[in-house]
């Protein structure tokens, strides 16, 4: 008998990127870019790994496609430069 | 500089379905950053396994296998033995993972066997203090007096009546080369311990305190703060051990009263109702004070 094994129980590495978890978020961060010291803590602590940016320019941003709006980046920012705002959907 | 494109290439990718603010997912990301691509992982049944591999999706960019609830350590032992016998070990880290239930309760026998046989495996226990994936049931690592669905608080009870099991000390009693306790509240310390563990040959055990938003009942933004408070109160001492000797402890700069930690979490809210609850808080303070003396935290 011929079998077609293309449909197996293997998922492709990193295939979860197809799942846009930004739909979880009620709030999203705003990087105010006023008092930022470039400490990178927001990158470190984001549980989703969606914060990116640059120590030197002190410009940080987040990926709204995946941010779940937990607010940890805002809570942990030592200089209060991140604010959570309600998402309008 | 980290770009958006870079973040999409993490070895543990976004797109998983962990709760907003899940500290367990944060810890996994930090661990894989240190271990790198040459890693093979097993994961016991539990939140991590469920939220990272929603078929046909996967957050893993390394070879990964779901064991059963009870045998993550046994499956990892087999992988390590097979790599060795076929001459393909080549510096590969074999990472076995489980929750506190999968590690300290149902998986304890498999883990003890892995330690005894001396497999070159790094075992990581993500300790969120209950069986979260199935709805917050008590485990051997649930802290004293915490509300869970199988240790509810009420007229007859203040929640979990039993002390939290000393799981790291059980690992140390096997005289394995490295045991460490880490926390999602201290990511630099966590990554340092994982790096050290990976550099040592033989069985390693690392237990990580990972707050759980729905299980501990707090606002997601406090995950890191609560993890830090657990350390600063003395309730979750961070240390490293070689064989059965403690070689380092994370000192706390200033002792924080346990109330500061407890009051942020709904799982302890029954302790703030009356005088009887206050007496229970004193018992929890005593646990913290004893840890401070025992581990020399101050
Ligand atoms: C033998 C067996 N018993 C029970 C279950 C159901 N089960 C799946 S995950 C889980 C709880 C996992 O708790 P823990 O190991 O602490 O991980 P967490 O979900 O908290 O991260 C249970 C009881 C199972 N899968 N297999
Ligand atoms: S709100 Fe949470 S998920 Fe979103 S960027 Fe901040 S830390 Fe990351
Ligand atoms: S229930 Fe807890 S451990 Fe499980 S995904 Fe949610 S926050 Fe993480
Ligand atoms: Mg658990």
């Amino acid at each position: 008998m011929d079998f077609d094994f293309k449909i197996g129980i293997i998922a492709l590495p990193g295939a979860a990127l197809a799942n846009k978890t930004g739909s979880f978020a009620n709030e999203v961060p705003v990087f105010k870019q006023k008092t930022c010291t470039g400490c990178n803590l927001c990158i470190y602590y984001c549980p989703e790994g969606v914060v990116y940016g640059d120590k030197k320019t002190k410009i940080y941003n987040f990926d709204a496609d995946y941010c779940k709006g937990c607010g940890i980046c805002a809570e942990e920012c030592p200089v209060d430069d991140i604010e959570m705002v309600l998402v309008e959907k | 500089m980290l770009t958006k494109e870079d973040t999409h290439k993490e070895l543990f990718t976004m797109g998983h379905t962990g709760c907003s603010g899940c500290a367990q997912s944060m810890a996994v990301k930090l661990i894989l950053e240190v271990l790198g691509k040459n890693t093979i992982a097993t994961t016991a049944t539990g939140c991590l396994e469920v939220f990272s591999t929603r078929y046909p999706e996967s957050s893993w960019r390394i070879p990964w296998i779901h064991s059963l609830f009870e045998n993550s350590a046994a499956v990892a032992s087999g992988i390590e033995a097979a790599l060795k016998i076929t001459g393909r070990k080549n510096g590969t880290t074999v990472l076995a993972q489980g929750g506190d239930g999968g590690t300290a309760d149902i998986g304890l026998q498999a883990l003890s066997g892995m330690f005894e046989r001396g497999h070159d495996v790094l075992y990581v226990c993500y300790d969120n203090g209950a069986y979260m994936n199935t709805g917050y049931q008590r485990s051997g690592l649930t802290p004293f007096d915490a509300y869970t669905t199988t240790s509810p608080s009420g007229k007859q009870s203040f929640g979990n009546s039993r002390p939290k099991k000393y799981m790291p000390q059980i690992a140390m009693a096997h005289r394995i080369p490295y045991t460490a306790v880490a926390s999602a509240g201290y990511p630099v310390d966590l990554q340092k311990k994982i790096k050290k563990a990976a550099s040592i040959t033989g069985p390693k055990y690392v237990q990580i305190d990972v707050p759980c938003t729905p299980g501990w009942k707090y606002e997601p933004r406090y995950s890191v703060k609560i993890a830090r408070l657990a350390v600063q109160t003395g309730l979750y001492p961070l240390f490293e051990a070689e064989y059965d000797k403690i070689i380092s402890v994370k000192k706390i700069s200033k002792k924080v009263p346990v109330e500061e930690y407890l009051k942020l979490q709904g799982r302890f809210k029954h302790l703030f109702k009356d005088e009887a609850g206050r007496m229970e808080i004193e018992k929890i303070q005593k646990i913290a004070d004893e840890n401070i003396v025992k581990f020399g935290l101050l």
Side-chain angles (χ1 to χ4, degrees):
Chain A
M1 219 196 286
D2 278 344
F3 289 101
D4 183 353
F5 279 111
K6 263 183 232 150
I7 301 169
I9 51 162
I10 305 285
L12 291 175
L17 279 176
N19 190 29
K20 302 277 170 75
T21 52
S23 59
F24 284 39
N26 296 324
E27 290 181 326
V28 287
V30 172
F31 293 79
K32 294 188 277 187
Q33 277 159 21
K34 285 194 181 125
T35 47
C36 176
T37 59
C39 70
N40 263 349
L41 279 182
C42 47
I43 291 182
Y44 242 106
Y45 282 127
C46 172
E48 309 303 318
V50 305
V51 181
Y52 55 92
D54 192 8
K55 254 177 145 40
K56 284 204 199 89
T57 58
K58 298 173 188 153
I59 296 172
Y60 291 86
N61 210 336
F62 76 105
D63 189 342
D65 282 345
Y66 300 98
C67 165
K68 292 179 185 163
C70 65
I72 291 176
C73 52
E75 179 66 31
E76 294 305 321
C77 174
V79 289
D80 234 352
D81 204 34
I82 306 173
E83 192 183 343
M84 298 301 290
V85 294
L86 215 57
V87 195
E88 307 219 4
K89 286 184 181 164
Chain B
M1 162 141 191
L2 187 73
T3 64
K4 186 158 155 180
E5 289 64 43
D6 295 335
T7 64
H8 289 188
K9 291 181 199 139
E10 283 271 358
L11 291 176
F12 185 73
T13 68
M14 53 192 80
H16 61 75
T17 56
C19 300
S20 175
C22 173
Q24 184 164 198
S25 65
M26 184 195 300
V28 176
K29 189 193 78 171
L30 292 167
I31 289 172
L32 287 196
E33 274 173 23
V34 174
L35 295 182
K37 262 208 288 228
N38 194 3
T39 304
I40 299 178
T42 69
T43 306
T45 316
C47 273
L48 173 60
E49 166 264 322
V50 170
F51 74 59
S52 66
T53 58
R54 201 180 67 145
Y55 183 75
E57 293 162 7
S58 167
S59 277
W60 304 88
R61 284 220 175 84
I62 54 167
W64 177 90
I65 185 170
H66 170 209
S67 64
L68 296 171
F69 189 20
E70 60 274 32
N71 66 351
S72 187
V75 172
S77 299
I79 291 170
E80 186 256 3
L83 288 175
K84 244 189 194 158
I85 202 79
T86 55
R88 291 185 297 173
K89 185 78 172 57
N90 297 337
T92 303
T93 302
V94 180
L95 171 69
Q97 306 170 100
D100 49 298
T103 302
D105 295 345
I106 196 170
L108 188 55
Q109 176 273 131
L111 180 59
S112 178
M114 183 199 104
F115 289 157
E116 257 187 54
R117 292 185 302 268
H119 291 283
D120 185 19
V121 174
L122 166 56
Y123 191 101
V124 172
C125 168
Y126 299 101
D127 177 13
N128 51 22
Y131 294 61
M132 298 310 183
N133 184 58
T134 40
Y136 329 129
Q137 293 86 13
R138 179 203 172 276
S139 84
L141 297 194
T142 300
F144 178 68
D145 271 356
Y147 167 96
T148 69
T149 49
T150 51
S151 65
S153 57
K155 284 201 188 87
Q156 307 290 329
S157 159
F158 286 102
N160 177 37
S161 63
R162 303 295 302 149
K164 186 181 175 88
K165 196 186 289 187
Y166 282 155
M167 187 57 216
Q169 288 87 336
I170 294 174
M172 285 164 63
H174 289 76
R175 280 160 289 169
I176 55 173
Y178 188 69
T179 299
V181 183
S183 164
Y186 293 89
V188 176
D189 177 77
L190 163 62
Q191 288 195 323
K192 213 177 73 197
K193 285 167 176 165
I194 293 295
K195 197 170 189 175
K196 179 153 174 199
S199 74
I200 294 168
T201 306
K204 283 85 59 176
Y205 178 77
V206 179
Q207 181 173 308
I208 307 173
D209 188 33
V210 286
C212 162
T213 56
W216 298 13
K217 306 192 193 324
Y218 63 86
E219 273 182 58
R221 63 187 295 135
Y222 294 130
S223 287
V224 172
K225 183 175 181 179
I226 288 175
R228 243 188 340 252
L229 280 169
V231 175
Q232 289 164 353
T233 50
L235 285 172
Y236 212 96
L238 305 187
F239 62 89
E240 292 176 285
E242 285 175 3
Y243 302 96
D244 51 356
K245 297 260 173 329
I246 291 178
I247 55 154
S248 83
V249 297
K250 182 153 195 73
K251 297 270 187 191
I252 49 184
S253 39
K254 188 169 131 271
K255 184 174 115 178
V256 177
V258 295
E259 283 99 316
E260 299 300 310
Y261 170 74
L262 303 172
K263 74 180 183 198
L264 289 174
Q265 305 170 55
R267 65 175 175 161
F268 294 112
K269 87 165 182 262
H270 54 284
L271 303 178
F272 291 89
K273 279 204 298 234
D274 52 22
E275 177 60 20
R278 207 183 54 77
M279 309 256 292
E280 290 301 303
I281 294 177
E282 269 172 31
K283 288 185 200 166
I284 298 173
Q285 185 62 58
K286 204 168 153 239
I287 296 173
D289 291 345
E290 280 169 9
N291 280 339
I292 288 170
V293 175
K294 192 160 94 193
F295 292 93
L297 298 177
L298 269 176

